[in-house]
Amino acid sequence: MEKRDGFGSKLGILAAAAGSAIGLGNIWKFPYITGVNGGGAFLIVYLICIALVGVTIMLCEFTIGRRAQMNPIGAFKKLSKGGPWWIVGLSGVLCAFSILSFYAVVAGWVFAYVSRAITGSLIKVGADQIGGLFGGLISSTGEPIFWAFVVLVLTALIIVGGIQKGIEKYSKILMPILLVLLVILMIRSVTLPGASKGLEFLFKPDFSKLTPTGVLEALGHAFFSLSLGMGTMITYGSYISKKENLPSMALQVSIADTVIALMAGIVIFPAVFAFGLEPGSGPGLIFVTLPPVFQSMPLGGVFETLFFTLIGIAALTSTISILEVVVAFVCENYNMARKKATIMIAAITFFFSVLCSLSLGTMSDFTIFGLGFFDLFDALSSKILLPGGGLLIAIFVGWVMKKEDVLDEVTNGGEIEFGLFNAFMFVTKYLAPILIAIVFAYSLGLLKL
Ligand code: TRP
């Protein structure tokens, strides 16, 4: 048998896993759902979800993946020795389509902005016109579909390169640049006049604004942002060498992801308030808020181009991690060549992306459960499939896998110390499943507090 491809270095793993976690979720979604849910109080609930549930589930996923050395469906089959657990892997594969199809559309908007920024036309659009430009872009037919196509083609090209020469190589180049740009923009934003109101909005909790749906959104977003609940980290875990320290890796990736989300919030909210915009304006937040900020700074056009390029890059290091889940499964399960599998899966995703994009324009009258395709795929993944997957992953590691096997895997056969193992097992067995179940029941109206 051919040797299985895998990550080549510790830095490579961190770049790839953090690259998966850090994406549109941090820079596009986190600020707008924080805005919609009233700011600071939502942030606190979100941080609790990350610290308590997020890090734990990430370690569970790494453990499953590295133990089994397989894609999620194969991993559940192998580790459960029969039983229907592979269905969790299957739901992950379906979830991958659901996320990737709307994610590619949003990444496409970013690329459409990049192309306008490069030609210099974006920087000329005033604060009063940018909302119209964005609304026009996302509801039109040809342009967003074209850019979603570009996103999927780029994603497929990296995936065809493999793990070490594709995913790892590009993540290592792209992630550091993203960080530097965020720092520069953060400094610009907090020095705008009136910036302190934005920081207050983000950091001063007003619990009266927090709703039950807000709590569910916080949990769902914790999963989304850390790329948990659908097998991405199981897949990446299967490429991690047996020498690496899984608990410390899960912690580092979670911290990096959270810091970047906070940084994005610190870039965006001061700017929102400085320009008198609405923090709760929804999915358009970064697309209409940031351009006026760039207009107000020297070399704004250059920064604007770089910034949207980098969001595009952050999106790509995430789209590859989503596509990889399905590609790994199809290659291993059906013995298909990587290239063929990639093209096939990207093409299917593109079809769904077209539906998502059209649902914001020409097809806006077509709804299922009152939602268009775009919102449907978003809600289905963040509110149901990811938390549900996370719940089952925790139960699997806590109750189905043998405790000795879990201990063996997270300590590399006793080679490394993991002092918090008992705490980890407690959260995995009881706390995480109970918390997720409560939030679920609450949001479905089965439970009233
Ligand atoms: N975490 C990424 C983001 O924040 C998106 C993502 C990549 C993802 N892989 C995933 C979300 C797997 C859920 C599951 O943008």
Side-chain angles (χ1 to χ4, degrees), residues 20-21 23-26 99 103 224-225 227 230 232 318 321-322 386:
S20 166
L24 294 172
N26 306 60
I99 294 181
Y103 204 92
F224 186 88
S225 192
S227 302
M230 62 152 261
T232 291
S318 299
S321 75
I322 305 174
L386 298 179

Side-chain angles (χ1 to χ4, degrees), residues 110 113-114 117-118 177-178 180-182 184-185 294 299-313:
V110 174
Y113 264 53
V114 172
I118 290 176
I177 311 179
L178 172 75
V180 172
L181 262 127
L182 263 180
I184 297 174
L185 283 164
F294 290 112
L299 294 178
V302 176
F303 281 111
E304 184 166 58
T305 311
L306 287 174
F307 184 69
F308 281 105
T309 307
L310 285 155
I311 303 182
I313 287 166

Side-chain angles (χ1 to χ4, degrees), residues 18-27 29 95-96 99 103 221 223-233 257 314-315 317-323 325 381 386:
S20 166
I22 297 165
L24 294 172
N26 306 60
I27 304 171
K29 206 172 188 189
C95 186
I99 294 181
Y103 204 92
H221 187 64
F223 279 101
F224 186 88
S225 192
L226 294 175
S227 302
L228 299 176
M230 62 152 261
T232 291
M233 293 302 175
D257 184 68
T317 53
S318 299
T319 51
I320 52 180
S321 75
I322 305 174
L323 190 62
V325 173
S381 50
L386 298 179

Side-chain angles (χ1 to χ4, degrees), residues 38-58:
F42 177 84
L43 176 63
I44 291 183
V45 178
Y46 176 70
L47 292 178
I48 294 173
C49 292
I50 295 275
L52 229 47
V53 183
V55 185
T56 306
I57 307 282
M58 186 170 309

